Amino acid sequence: MDKETLRTNLSQEHIFMMLQSLVETTTDAISIRDIQGNILLVNSVFEKIYGWTYQDLINDPYCLVPETLISETKEIFHPIKFFGENISGYETVRKRKDGTMIQVSLTASPIRDSGGNIVGTSVIARDVTERKKAEEALLESEAKYRILVENTNDIISTYDLNMKKTFVSPSVELHLGYTPNEYLQAHIFDLIHPDDVKTIVDQYQSITTHKKNVQMEVRLKHRNGSWVYLESRCVPILSENAEIESYLVVSRNITERKRAEEALRKSEEQYRFIAENTVDFISVIDTNGDTTYSSPSHLKKLGKDRVNFKNIHPDDAPTVCERFSYMLQSKTPITCVYRYKLENGDWIYLESRGMPFLNSDGECQHFFNVTRDVTERKQNEELLLRTEKLSVIGELAASIAHEIRNPLTSLKGFIQYLQPLISKNSAFTDIMLSELDRINFIVSELLVLAKPQNLHVKSVLLHSIIENVVKFLESEANLKSIEINTKFPSTPVTINCEENQLKQVFINIMKNSLDAISANGEISIQTKLLSDNQVLIRFSDNGCGMSQELLSRLGEPFYTTKEKGTGLGLLISNKIIKDHQGSINITSEINKGTIVDITLPSS
């Protein structure tokens, strides 16, 4: 054998060894068959993938092909055997020896001899089962997400790096009125509210710089020209090397929510305006009794920013506690009226209405308290009560006056008839007639309570009236060793009045002073001209005086501090002075005396 032949044989042997090594080290399954389809060679990977051995294939060349695919497989390999065609990437199913099916990708080509004749076929099989599963999972996932995107109520859109719209979900037509194609064709800034453009630009720069999600609220123009509020979340889509490839934006229509928020804000502003400008005291109190809100009206009226429990009258405090405890237990509104002491020491009446605020579980979270100053109402109620009593007294006085006047008329007539017969004792008859006239006068005074009287007003010297009253009561004052002093200005004072009625007032006041002084006392009467055409008449004594509680009840019908009093004197006096467009003011202090100031217009 010459050297060239030996070199050729060695080269062929080397090539064969290389090919054999390649066949064994590849990760694909390789099999070679002759032209009749008999197996000639399989590599170790073939047995590993399929589980079938070389011997198995000799016994059954198509043992790895499912029965339903045997005919198809023969047809596929027919062009290879007879026409020399190649097959690449043919995907099919093969059966493993354990009966499981695997997905494979086949590449087949003819094998030729030195003369170019087809003598067999080689098949390279790659296991693509996992890849097919991944593709199927991807397709399933894509189908799910496509269903989600196409049916979601949110607007889902994508943008490229230049912020050009590349996709938008069909829901855009529901919220903005544009078809997806119309929306994609429109420029992004043509639809954004001018006031929101800067927000978009700033957020775009932020997401580009930090590559993190951003959230924002923007207004987009609806096809009908109105503005739609969208709450948008922008997500950067990153490549494998962490570079932004595109942007995903998920937008939710929050127009109704914004309208509701705006309506709520306006409602809150209105109610806050009412709460801060109403004269009522509005507060919100939690279940622990702590005030969480208090309207400014508290400070204006009470001098404090809230109702202080310590300022509630001691007699009313237990009732207030009991009512609010009942409200918390029964979860029903309550109302209570109580006396409250102001910072200046005055007492007023407050009416509080508590209303519990319940949560969804029916538990009381806090309660609203609306408090109102009802002092004037209470005074009016008391005045109404006094008026009712006065009406009854008036009817009673009219009845009594009528019953008294009938016998008085008879008595006076008989005395006048007998007067000539007992002329020797005319002084007695004169006294009796005078006293009858006085009784008749007193009865007439009772009628003042019964119905409005037509005053016979005339101009009278005030000091003359007072001096007549002093002379009338001087004897009674002397019996008690009480001194009556008068102090009048040098200028005479005239007033327009009904003289007898005014005398009755002065008598009532001085009688009260005489009763209040035990002995060795003093009554002082003085007058003074005021600047506004008014005259002040002051009666003062150094008697026992009275407490503020008793003083507040003066003028009530039948209320009196005297053992034999009727409680009508001051009531009548008040009415007389009021009819004369005047006023009475009484001040008193225990063991120091009482001062009665009467103000009347001067003529």
Side-chain angles (χ1 to χ4, degrees):
M1 182 179 296
D2 56 15
K3 293 182 180 180
E4 189 63 33
T5 303
L6 179 61
R7 185 181 297 112
T8 301
N9 291 337
L10 288 174
S11 176
Q12 290 176 349
E13 183 180 358
H14 180 68
I15 291 171
F16 178 77
M17 291 177 63
M18 289 178 62
L19 290 174
Q20 186 177 14
S21 175
L22 179 63
V23 168
E24 291 298 328
T25 57
T26 183
T27 58
D28 296 332
I30 299 176
S31 62
I32 297 176
R33 296 173 185 264
D34 61 17
I35 198 67
Q36 285 77 30
N38 299 313
I39 195 72
L40 300 177
L41 173 70
V42 294
N43 64 353
S44 59
V45 178
F46 184 97
E47 294 184 359
K48 183 178 179 181
I49 292 176
Y50 292 115
W52 300 101
T53 63
Y54 175 75
Q55 189 61 43
D56 294 329
L57 292 170
I58 290 176
N59 296 331
D60 184 1
Y62 292 98
C63 61
L64 74 165
V65 181
E67 292 183 5
T68 56
L69 297 178
I70 291 177
S71 298
E72 179 184 316
T73 302
K74 290 179 178 181
E75 291 178 3
I76 292 296
F77 280 89
H78 183 79
I80 300 174
K81 294 178 181 180
F82 299 103
F83 302 107
E85 296 181 3
N86 295 321
I87 297 176
S88 178
Y90 169 64
E91 293 184 355
T92 185
V93 179
R94 290 292 180 259
K95 181 173 67 174
R96 290 172 54 85
K97 191 174 183 178
D98 59 8
T100 59
M101 299 295 180
I102 61 173
Q103 297 276 350
V104 294
S105 176
L106 303 181
T107 299
S109 57
I111 298 175
R112 301 176 185 271
D113 59 11
S114 58
N117 299 313
I118 299 174
V119 295
T121 59
S122 66
V123 179
I124 301 174
R126 177 168 295 176
D127 185 358
V128 295
T129 304
E130 295 302 322
R131 192 198 78 192
K132 295 294 287 185
K133 288 181 179 178
E135 289 176 353
E136 290 176 0
L138 180 60
L139 289 174
E140 183 179 356
S141 176
E142 287 180 348
K144 289 180 180 178
Y145 280 111
R146 181 168 294 279
I147 292 173
L148 176 65
V149 169
E150 291 180 353
N151 293 277
T152 183
N153 196 43
D154 294 340
I155 301 174
I156 299 175
S157 54
T158 57
Y159 296 79
D160 62 17
L161 294 177
N162 297 320
M163 291 303 293
K164 182 179 180 181
K165 298 185 288 291
T166 56
F167 170 80
V168 66
S169 61
S171 55
V172 69
E173 188 168 5
L174 173 66
H175 298 290
L176 297 177
Y178 306 102
T179 64
N181 187 55
E182 289 173 338
Y183 184 78
L184 293 175
Q185 295 298 321
H187 192 276
I188 181 173
F189 290 114
D190 291 341
L191 303 179
I192 297 174
H193 193 284
D195 295 342
D196 296 339
V197 171
K198 186 177 184 303
T199 301
I200 298 291
V201 173
D202 292 343
Q203 295 293 359
Y204 171 71
Q205 292 175 350
S206 174
I207 196 173
T208 303
T209 304
H210 304 291
K211 300 177 182 178
K212 293 183 179 180
N213 302 350
V214 297
Q215 191 159 332
M216 54 191 160
E217 288 185 5
V218 295
R219 285 163 289 181
L220 265 64
K221 183 182 290 185
H222 193 279
R223 188 170 187 173
N224 61 15
S226 63
W227 293 102
V228 177
Y229 281 88
L230 296 179
E231 184 179 65
S232 299
R233 183 175 180 83
C234 185
V235 181
I237 307 300
L238 305 180
S239 63
E240 293 181 357
N241 57 356
E243 294 297 327
I244 298 177
E245 290 183 334
S246 59
Y247 303 94
L248 172 68
V249 179
V250 180
S251 301
R252 176 163 296 178
N253 189 343
I254 59 169
T255 305
E256 291 302 321
R257 190 188 80 188
K258 296 294 286 187
R259 288 174 181 169
E261 290 175 354
E262 180 65 16
L264 179 61
R265 184 188 63 80
K266 290 183 178 180
S267 177
E268 287 179 346
E269 286 181 354
Q270 291 174 351
Y271 283 112
R272 181 171 294 276
F273 179 80
I274 293 172
E276 293 183 353
N277 292 277
T278 182
V279 294
D280 291 343
F281 317 135
I282 301 175
S283 58
V284 180
I285 305 173
D286 61 22
T287 53
N288 297 321
D290 297 325
T291 302
T292 57
Y293 171 77
S294 183
S295 62
S297 51
H298 285 81
L299 193 61
K300 296 177 183 177
K301 180 66 179 180
L302 305 181
K304 295 278 188 178
D305 61 350
R306 64 195 64 189
V307 174
N308 193 335
F309 186 80
K310 295 180 180 179
N311 287 29
I312 296 177
H313 197 284
D315 295 342
D316 299 337
T319 302
V320 175
C321 289
E322 184 272 329
R323 295 298 293 156
F324 277 92
S325 297
Y326 173 78
M327 179 191 66
L328 291 176
Q329 294 173 2
S330 64
K331 300 172 185 175
T332 56
I334 59 96
T335 302
C336 62
V337 179
Y338 53 90
R339 287 163 288 179
Y340 188 85
K341 190 176 184 179
L342 298 177
E343 294 300 308
N344 60 7
D346 293 341
W347 288 94
I348 62 173
Y349 280 90
L350 295 181
E351 180 184 70
S352 291
R353 178 170 175 80
M355 292 161 285
F357 180 82
L358 307 179
N359 59 18
S360 57
D361 298 328
E363 296 297 325
C364 182
Q365 290 183 321
H366 50 263
F367 61 87
F368 297 98
N369 189 35
V370 180
T371 303
R372 177 172 295 178
D373 182 2
V374 294
T375 306
E376 186 176 351
R377 190 187 77 189
K378 294 291 288 185
Q379 291 173 346
N380 290 336
E381 289 174 355
E382 292 176 3
L383 180 60
L384 181 62
L385 181 61
R386 290 185 183 184
T387 303
E388 184 66 23
K389 289 181 180 179
L390 188 60
S391 175
V392 175
I393 293 169
E395 294 178 5
L396 182 61
S399 176
I400 292 173
H402 177 72
E403 293 299 326
I404 292 176
R405 274 185 166 174
N406 287 336
L408 282 180
T409 303
S410 300
L411 288 173
K412 188 173 182 179
F414 282 120
I415 291 173
Q416 289 174 340
Y417 177 75
L418 294 174
Q419 192 172 18
L421 302 177
I422 52 175
S423 56
K424 294 181 180 180
N425 297 305
S426 60
F428 296 114
T429 56
D430 291 340
I431 292 173
M432 292 174 66
L433 290 172
S434 175
E435 291 302 318
L436 286 174
D437 289 338
R438 177 164 176 76
I439 293 172
N440 190 51
F441 171 76
I442 293 173
V443 170
S444 299
E445 293 301 301
L446 283 175
L447 291 174
V448 173
L449 295 174
K451 60 182 179 179
Q453 302 292 311
N454 294 322
L455 300 180
H456 300 288
V457 177
K458 60 182 180 178
S459 182
V460 182
L461 286 172
L462 174 62
H463 299 155
S464 175
I465 298 174
I466 297 174
E467 288 171 350
N468 289 338
V469 172
V470 170
K471 287 180 181 179
F472 180 75
L473 296 174
E474 197 168 27
S475 58
E476 184 176 349
N478 292 334
L479 289 174
K480 292 185 177 183
S481 301
I482 297 174
E483 184 179 354
I484 301 176
N485 298 317
T486 58
K487 183 179 180 182
F488 304 143
S490 57
T491 304
V493 178
T494 58
I495 59 173
N496 294 323
C497 68
E498 211 290 328
E499 185 176 356
N500 288 331
Q501 286 192 355
L502 206 57
K503 282 182 181 180
Q504 185 66 40
V505 173
F506 295 162
I507 290 171
N508 286 339
I509 294 172
M510 291 187 66
K511 282 286 292 180
N512 288 339
S513 293
L514 291 170
D515 293 338
I517 301 172
S518 57
N520 300 319
E522 180 183 355
I523 298 174
S524 175
I525 307 170
Q526 56 181 321
T527 60
K528 180 181 180 182
L529 284 171
L530 302 178
S531 59
D532 52 351
N533 293 325
Q534 299 282 317
V535 59
L536 172 66
I537 310 155
R538 173 168 291 179
F539 297 84
S540 58
D541 64 60
N542 58 354
C544 61
M546 67 186 77
S547 66
Q548 294 300 311
E549 184 178 358
L550 295 177
L551 190 64
S552 64
R553 297 193 60 186
L554 289 181
E556 290 185 12
F558 302 115
Y559 176 77
T560 179
T561 58
K562 295 186 285 188
E563 184 178 350
K564 296 182 180 180
T566 63
L568 298 176
L570 192 56
L571 182 68
I572 295 175
S573 297
N574 277 328
K575 188 176 189 308
I576 292 173
I577 294 300
K578 185 177 180 181
D579 290 341
H580 283 75
Q581 287 79 48
S583 63
I584 296 181
N585 182 53
I586 303 175
T587 57
S588 184
E589 192 172 348
I590 295 178
N591 297 326
K592 289 190 176 181
T594 302
I595 299 175
V596 180
D597 287 336
I598 298 176
T599 305
L600 292 169
S602 62
S603 56

